[in-house]
């Protein structure tokens, strides 16, 4: 291990005229600049609360470079307990590393973080950077690059459960350009990340718009209720969700003006999910049997790898069957669903099926205490409203397809932006490619 570290250090020196320094040299001089989370069970499930000071765990350190810190699924401890572990507090500008398990996870608390301070868990480490020497974002990009990732993996300890400790972190060599150059590098890479983040947020808005329309039409029966309340203007009947008056009138005419005794718009009936779609089984594909390719392989946790052959042609919806029960993923292109998921087949618009599934609470339908599972027959028995006029479903599909096409365009642009960033990242970090050439590649 030591020989490999020296070899890489010499390679750094050959690749760039930047000085090579250790992480310890880049840490702030303040007490606790390099620290682990609280030892033992001082902070654990028994101390977690619904509010207070958030705790960063491994699941909050996304492997998506542009995300830096994932606030989904945060747990909290109260202020009194947080004060007992002041050395484990992480604030804006601090880097966080996983020290047990998936050790190559790296996070950065930046201006986009949802909270002003966090506690790192007992399986994490934090680094407060001396910002007179290095920019936190520069170091984050370094440790996210193949060079930095290799350094972490090379310094792993243990076998069955990989580990990475403060001593190893302190000794990692880092190529350190002048601050001026660091700023230029992070500005270039950050501009790509910012565009990716903008597209991601735009997609969240587009997804929310589709869900709002679906719920108004097929869950709350908004147009019918507004007719009952005396609305006659088509734009008002459609809740302002359709801006063209002629289009709004055509849609409003598809909704009855009264509710039946069953609470549905007159003429509508209750059917079962099996009347709407089929939940088809995925097929086992062990990692050892996968071949290099571009086809995403879906498990209940999302994309878990790639293969050279598809099992299903997109677009379709993937539904978690074992593990993460009821998880939902939209896929535009061909894909391979493994045996922990279902995939959706239907004659109705797939966008309608996707929005419908989001309203059924599939994530609560675990039928196996040992290994969480979704029983297909139980799902099929779920009641769903069925409009008397199938044209309404196709009309919704047309609207949702427009939103989905914009989402797809953003997803594909993000893939291109991420590929550009990931190509430039190791070359910029090592000094192999200078900024002028990199800027030309981006523009």
């Amino acid at each position: 291990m030591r020989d490999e570290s020296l070899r890489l250090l010499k390679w750094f020196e050959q690749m760039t005229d930047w000085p090579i320094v250790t992480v310890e040299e880049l840490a702030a001089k303040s007490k606790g600049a390099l620290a682990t989370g609280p030892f033992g069970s001082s902070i654990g499930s028994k101390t977690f609360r619904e509010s207070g000071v958030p705790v960063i765990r491994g699941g909050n350190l996304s492997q998506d470079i542009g995300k830096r810190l994932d606030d989904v699924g945060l747990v909290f401890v109260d202020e009194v307990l947080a004060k007992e572990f002041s050395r484990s507090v992480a604030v804006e500008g601090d880097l966080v590393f996983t020290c047990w398990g998936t050790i190559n996870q790296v996070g950065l608390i930046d201006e986009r973080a949802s909270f002003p301070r966090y506690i790192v868990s007992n399986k994490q480490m934090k680094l407060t950077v001396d910002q007179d020497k290095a920019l936190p974002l520069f170091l984050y990009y370094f440790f996210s690059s193949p060079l930095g990732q290799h350094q972490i993996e090379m310094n792993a300890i243990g076998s069955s459960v990989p580990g990475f400790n403060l001593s190893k972190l302190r000794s990692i060599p880092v190529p350190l350009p002048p601050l001026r150059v660091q700023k230029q590098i992070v500005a270039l890479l950050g501009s790509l990340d910012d565009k990716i983040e903008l597209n991601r947020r735009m997609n969240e808005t587009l997804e929310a718009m589709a869900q709002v329309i679906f719920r108004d039409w097929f869950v709350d029966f908004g147009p019918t209720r507004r007719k009952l309340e005396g609305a006659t203007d088509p734009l008002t009947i459609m809740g302002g969700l359709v801006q063209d008056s002629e289009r709004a009138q055509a849609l409003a005419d598809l909704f009855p003006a009264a509710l039946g005794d069953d609470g549905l718009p007159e003429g509508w009936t209750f059917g079962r999910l099996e009347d709407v779609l089929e939940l088809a089984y995925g097929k086992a594909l062990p990692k050892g049997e996968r071949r290099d390719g571009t086809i995403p392989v879906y498990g209940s946790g999302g994309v878990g790898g790639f293969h050279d052959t598809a099992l299903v042609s997109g677009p379709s919806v993937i539904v978690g069957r074992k593990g993460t029960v009821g998880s939902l993923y939209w896929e535009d292109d061909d894909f391979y669903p493994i045996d922990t998921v279902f995939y959706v087949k239907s004659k109705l618009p797939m966008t309608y099926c996707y929005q419908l599934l989001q309203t059924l609470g599939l994530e609560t339908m675990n039928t196996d205490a040992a290994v969480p599972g979704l029983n297909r027959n139980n799902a099929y028995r779920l009641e769903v409203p069925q409009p008397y006029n199938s044209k309404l479903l196709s009309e919704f599909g047309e609207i949702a397809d427009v939103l989905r096409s914009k989402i797809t365009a953003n997803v594909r642009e993000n893939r291109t932006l991420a590929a550009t960033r990931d190509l430039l990242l190791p070359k910029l970090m090592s000094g192999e490619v200078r900024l002028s050439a990199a800027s030309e590649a981006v523009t």
Side-chain angles (χ1 to χ4, degrees):
M1 195 68 70
R2 174 177 167 77
D3 290 342
E4 176 66 9
S5 183
L6 290 173
R7 185 200 66 76
L8 190 61
L9 181 59
K10 289 180 180 178
W11 183 85
F12 277 159
E13 292 171 339
Q14 292 169 358
M15 288 298 296
T16 179
D17 53 4
W18 297 337
I20 306 297
V21 300
T22 64
V23 169
E24 186 169 31
E25 294 176 85
L26 296 176
K29 302 306 179 186
S30 57
K31 186 177 180 181
L34 274 162
T36 58
F39 290 107
S41 58
S42 302
I43 289 184
S45 58
K46 293 182 179 179
T47 63
F48 292 155
R49 303 289 182 266
E50 293 184 0
S51 62
V53 181
V55 179
I56 296 177
R57 300 178 294 175
N60 302 118
L61 303 184
S62 173
Q63 292 182 313
D64 179 345
I65 296 174
K67 212 159 190 181
R68 302 177 194 169
L69 184 68
D70 193 342
D71 279 345
V72 175
L74 278 173
V75 295
F76 301 82
V77 295
D78 61 40
E79 289 281 352
V80 174
L81 189 57
K83 288 179 180 177
E84 294 181 20
F85 302 106
S86 57
R87 289 172 62 90
S88 302
V89 170
V91 298
E92 184 176 332
D94 287 350
L95 279 79
V96 183
F97 301 81
T98 295
C99 53
W100 288 106
T102 310
I103 59 171
N104 60 345
Q105 293 180 138
V106 182
L108 172 66
I109 302 171
D110 61 10
E111 70 282 354
R112 297 183 300 188
S114 302
F115 298 88
R117 63 190 175 111
Y118 297 77
I119 295 283
V120 296
S121 77
N122 65 334
K123 293 184 179 180
Q124 318 299 321
M125 301 178 289
K126 66 106 175 194
L127 164 65
T128 301
V129 181
D130 182 347
Q131 297 192 32
D132 289 333
K133 296 179 180 179
L135 300 178
L137 185 52
F138 174 82
L139 291 183
Y140 171 77
Y141 280 133
F142 170 75
F143 281 109
S144 300
S145 74
L147 302 178
Q149 291 281 293
H150 179 62
Q151 279 289 72
I152 292 174
E153 292 166 2
M154 193 175 65
N155 281 281
I157 57 177
S159 54
S160 58
V161 180
F164 179 52
N165 59 30
L166 281 178
S167 175
K168 295 294 186 180
L169 178 59
R170 286 190 179 98
S171 64
I172 287 182
V174 178
L176 189 69
L179 281 171
R180 171 184 56 82
V181 177
Q182 291 181 46
K183 290 177 181 177
Q184 293 171 334
I185 289 174
V186 300
L188 178 61
L189 296 175
S191 66
L192 296 173
D193 277 346
D194 289 346
K195 177 57 177 171
I196 291 172
E197 180 65 16
L198 179 63
N199 284 345
R200 183 184 288 130
R201 291 181 180 179
M202 187 183 302
N203 281 358
E204 289 177 354
T205 300
L206 293 168
E207 289 276 15
M209 289 172 61
Q211 184 63 198
V212 165
I213 295 172
F214 179 89
R215 285 185 174 275
D216 184 61
W217 291 15
F218 302 107
V219 178
D220 300 329
F221 317 123
T224 294
R225 293 185 184 279
R226 286 187 282 273
K227 284 184 177 182
L228 279 171
E229 292 168 359
T232 56
D233 175 61
L235 295 175
T236 302
I237 293 172
M238 298 313 298
L241 299 174
V242 180
Q243 300 302 315
D244 178 78
S245 58
E246 186 175 338
R247 174 83 164 130
Q249 183 65 68
L251 291 170
D253 289 343
L254 297 176
F255 287 89
L259 295 173
D261 293 338
D262 55 6
L264 296 177
E266 283 188 343
W268 290 31
T269 59
F270 279 114
R272 290 187 172 187
L273 183 62
E274 64 182 338
D275 301 325
V276 175
L277 55 83
E278 176 187 351
L279 294 173
Y281 286 98
K283 185 178 179 181
L285 183 64
K287 290 185 178 180
E289 297 179 12
R290 299 176 192 178
R291 299 179 295 271
D292 289 343
T294 60
I295 302 298
V297 177
Y298 275 91
S300 63
V303 176
F306 295 87
H307 190 48
D308 66 350
T309 304
L311 183 66
V312 180
S313 297
S316 186
V317 179
I318 298 92
V319 182
R321 182 176 76 88
K322 289 286 187 181
T324 309
V325 172
S327 54
L328 297 173
Y329 307 97
W330 175 278
E331 177 55 62
D332 287 289
D333 302 315
D334 297 350
F335 63 99
Y336 198 112
I338 62 173
D339 54 352
T340 61
V341 300
F342 299 115
Y343 65 93
V344 174
K345 298 168 69 174
S346 180
K347 294 180 180 179
L348 298 179
M350 192 59 65
T351 46
Y352 170 80
C353 297
Y354 180 53
Q355 298 300 332
L356 173 64
L357 289 168
Q358 292 190 59
T359 68
L360 299 180
L362 298 180
E363 69 280 1
T364 67
M365 296 182 64
N366 177 26
T367 56
D368 191 331
V371 179
L374 174 64
N375 182 284
R376 182 169 71 164
N377 289 331
N378 288 347
Y380 277 164
R381 285 193 286 268
L382 292 171
E383 285 192 333
V384 296
Q386 293 186 324
Y388 72 92
N389 192 334
S390 61
K391 181 173 175 57
L392 186 58
L393 300 182
S394 61
E395 291 286 356
F396 174 82
E398 286 186 19
I399 293 173
D401 284 348
V402 171
L403 298 174
R404 176 54 56 182
S405 66
K406 294 178 181 178
I407 292 172
T408 298
N410 287 338
V411 168
R412 288 175 175 161
E413 182 181 27
N414 275 5
R415 289 174 184 165
T416 301
L417 292 167
T420 301
R421 178 199 60 203
D422 295 346
L423 177 66
L424 290 173
L425 186 57
K427 298 179 182 298
L428 289 170
M429 291 295 106
S430 67
E432 180 184 348
V433 170
R434 295 304 185 185
L435 285 161
S436 56
S439 297
E440 290 177 7
V442 171
T443 57

